[in-house]
Amino acid sequence: MNTGCGFQTKQRYRFGWFSMKLKLVGGDSAGVVTAYYMCSENGAGPTRDEIDFEFLGNRTGQPYLVQTNVYKNGTGNREMRHMLWFDPTEDYHTYSILWNNHQLVFFVDRVPIRVFKNNEKPNNFFPNEKPMYLFSSVWNADEWATRGGLEKTNWKLAPFVSSYKDFSVDACQWEDPYPKCVSTTTKNWWDQYGSWHLSGDQKMDYAWVQRNLVIYDYCNDSERFPTLPEECSLSPWE
Ligand SMILES: *[C@@H]1O[C@H](CO)[C@@H](O)[C@H](O)[C@H]1NC(C)=O
């Protein structure tokens, strides 16, 4: 069965701070994925850039996992999976993306859970050229989402509802022609030196997440990647 729903911004943005409060499908949500993501296109085209938060539902009482991923020019395969330190179905929590030309940071309640660095050289992994819309959707992914697809969606429990509030975007709205969003003298905090790397407090939080909550990191998966992708050698600390 295939069903779902979602929404998207009218505007595209290139770099900024994107934040929303979400309360995820509760109870038996196995197979149900709530996606909250940015994408350069309306569909899943072969050259899209994308920045994903995906919340993987689970059977009642079993923990949600948060999967994040980054695509450039249609290539993803950069999954990480984290546990959360709270039940995301009980209440609203804030999920944010900081995106500039130096780093992409995924935040949960202002705690940086993932840092994806640019090396400021020509590269094929850091999405920094294409403006993106922000989307969210709820869909059936019981082929893979929960325990690798073993746990199927229980359709008797439909509808599956995720709730949203307080969307906030502080970002460069894309307008052609292109150079509009590239100014280096911009006053935007999210494009300033202080946002090019984690602060001292953020590093402590990030280290705690790394120690306690990471379930999967593609950069540690040498079976899947005998040669690790280029960005895996960039330090998240700098
Ligand atoms: C769902 O719960 C099971 C059992 O606790 C756990 O192994 C799994 O990682 C959880 N999440 C997903 C997305 O499978």
Side-chain angles (χ1 to χ4, degrees), residues 56-58 62-65 81 145-148:
L56 314 183
N58 217 331
Q62 302 302 313
Y64 258 75
L65 291 184
R81 286 185 178 193
T146 311
R147 288 215 298 127

Side-chain angles (χ1 to χ4, degrees), residues 2-5 31-35 37 54 137-142 144:
N2 203 334
T3 172
C5 68
V32 180
V33 168
T34 301
Y37 63 106
E54 291 179 311
S137 57
V138 178
W139 46 287
N140 179 36
D142 70 357
W144 60 270

Side-chain angles (χ1 to χ4, degrees), residues 78 102 123 143 194:
R78 300 189 166 94
H102 300 263
N123 68 58
E143 274 162 31

